Amino acid sequence: MKNVLLLGATGSIGESVLSVIKQNSGELNLIGISCNKNTDKAREIIAEFKSVSYVHVENPIKYKDFCTKRDYDWRGDCTNTSSELEHLINHESIDIIVCAISGFAGMKATYMAAYSGKKILLANKESIVAGGDLILPIARKNNTQIIPIDSEHNAIFQCLNGEKGTEDVKKVIITASGGPFLNSSISDLENVTVKQALNHPNWKMGSKITIDSATLVNKCLELIEAKYLFDLNESFFDLVIHPQSIIHSIVTYIDGSSICQMSSPDMRVPIAHALSDANRLPIDFDPLDFTSLNLSFQAFPSDKIEIENIAREVCNKGSNLGAVFNAANEVAVESFLNNEINFDKIYEVIYRTFDANDVSNDLSIDSINDIDTHTRIEAKKVVKSLIN
Ligand code: NDP
Ligand code: MG
């Protein structure tokens, strides 16, 4: 039996993780969860999973409300501070830590988990994009195993299974659905609504990653994530549009063999793989009907090449540059979701903020937090200039 701490339990990935745990209750035991503001959902989770002994609530007001008013039948530990979170992550009873907080907000937890020497299931790609050069060496030094649950990275991980490292890899193709605006150019998207942008054809996800999928910035974040997780130069990776989201990535070896991983678009599939040990875990899944599959592929759109080039620059230069790209994007997405800027301006906010970056080689959690704070201020200035 493995004890699981699920950080970001109230989100979309959190829900998929809970479903896999529920279906494998003989192997997996949910022992702790975290949330930010959605304490109603946290209450539902602890009502359903009686094994939960720890609840970390990040938002201080919601924490007070949740922990001081114990109007529900639960006698576990409730925490809020960073040192309590660190203590929880390192608690001896926990075997597996799922990092499923959305955005840079997940950085603190991923950074702490990297020291734990435990098994991390990583969904929070932003923490690797912003702090890959810091987090990966810490994880290696502390024997912390990072298993990706982002579907493309989990696919690559599975394709590499049984191989002796990445020595024989020639190419890795990261697939992208293309999102709701497949075949539209940036100039066609000025007037799309938030509702249209949130209407992803294949995946049901949190709002931030859904907008990232619509802009294709998600694929650029994933390129950086892949570079760090598999320790391969960016030139190994190609981004390819595959609208059906059935093939989640492809690894081509030096002998000409290409191996891919396929499934219906359902995050429970990579999560079940990552939560398993030696054997695969059974889940209730939508089987593929191979006789009716119609798979197609197309080149990554040429008008998104500028954003892809930024991601490649981040891969090549590393250090704190990923934190700049990530923060600029987070501000741009938030501004779009708040109806402050048009969809096509998301790119402009990123380009202008990224161009003005001033990055140091100081690699510490404090410097990454500083870069994040500073970049957000700069990106907000760009947003303001677009509003006026
Ligand atoms: P959601 O928006 O659905 O959920 C986000 C989770 O993070 C919630 O539990 C939320 O808590 C918590 N959270 C938000 N802000 C904070 C904060 N400041 N401190 C602590 N916790 C916080 O996101 P997703 O589940 O869609 O995505 C989670 C991560 O997984 C992202 O990094 C995303 O890129 C990645 N990912 C997601 C996929 C998907 O299918 N959804 C696929 C691949 C990767 P609360 O609800 O209580 O406010
Ligand atoms: Mg993905």
Side-chain angles (χ1 to χ4, degrees), residues 125 149-153 174-175 203 205 209 213 218-219 222 225 267:
K125 67 190 87 184
I149 52 180
D150 205 348
S151 56
E152 298 75 7
H153 305 72
I174 304 178
T175 55
W203 299 96
M205 310 179 283
I209 184 176
S213 300
N218 183 47
K219 221 36 57 180
E222 290 185 353
E225 181 188 10
M267 285 309 293

Side-chain angles (χ1 to χ4, degrees), residues 104 107-108 111 115 127 130-135 137-138 319-321 323 359-372:
F104 188 80
M107 169 61 105
K108 180 174 74 175
Y111 173 71
Y115 281 99
S127 56
D133 278 327
L134 176 71
I135 289 172
I138 293 173
S319 189
N320 290 342
L321 208 51
V359 164
S360 81
N361 281 326
D362 177 13
L363 255 190
S364 65
I365 190 67
D366 290 343
S367 73
I368 289 170
N369 283 328
D370 287 349
I371 289 275
D372 177 76

Side-chain angles (χ1 to χ4, degrees), residues 114 118 120-122 128 135-136 139 144-148 157 229:
K118 300 183 181 184
I120 300 181
L121 266 56
L122 184 88
I128 298 300
I135 289 172
L136 271 296
T144 302
Q145 194 189 6
I146 301 183
I147 314 277
F157 191 83
L229 292 182

Side-chain angles (χ1 to χ4, degrees), residues 294-308:
N294 192 1
L295 304 181
S296 61
F297 301 89
Q298 59 197 67
F300 199 70
S302 55
D303 67 337
K304 314 284 184 320
I305 220 76
E306 197 171 340
I307 204 89
E308 181 182 345

Side-chain angles (χ1 to χ4, degrees), residues 102-104 124-126 198 205-215 217-218 221 326 329-331 333-334 337:
S102 170
F104 188 80
N124 179 230
K125 67 190 87 184
E126 294 90 344
L198 285 175
M205 310 179 283
S207 54
K208 193 265 175 181
I209 184 176
T210 306
I211 301 301
D212 286 346
S213 300
T215 56
V217 169
N218 183 47
L221 298 173
N326 183 66
N329 179 53
E330 288 196 17
V331 169
V333 170
E334 205 180 298
L337 285 170

Side-chain angles (χ1 to χ4, degrees), residues 11 16 24 65 96 161 194 201 217 266 295 303 306 322 335 344 359:
S16 295
N24 289 278
D65 177 59
I96 298 173
N161 197 23
V194 169
V217 169
D266 178 346
L295 304 181
D303 67 337
E306 197 171 340
S335 306
D344 60 326
V359 164

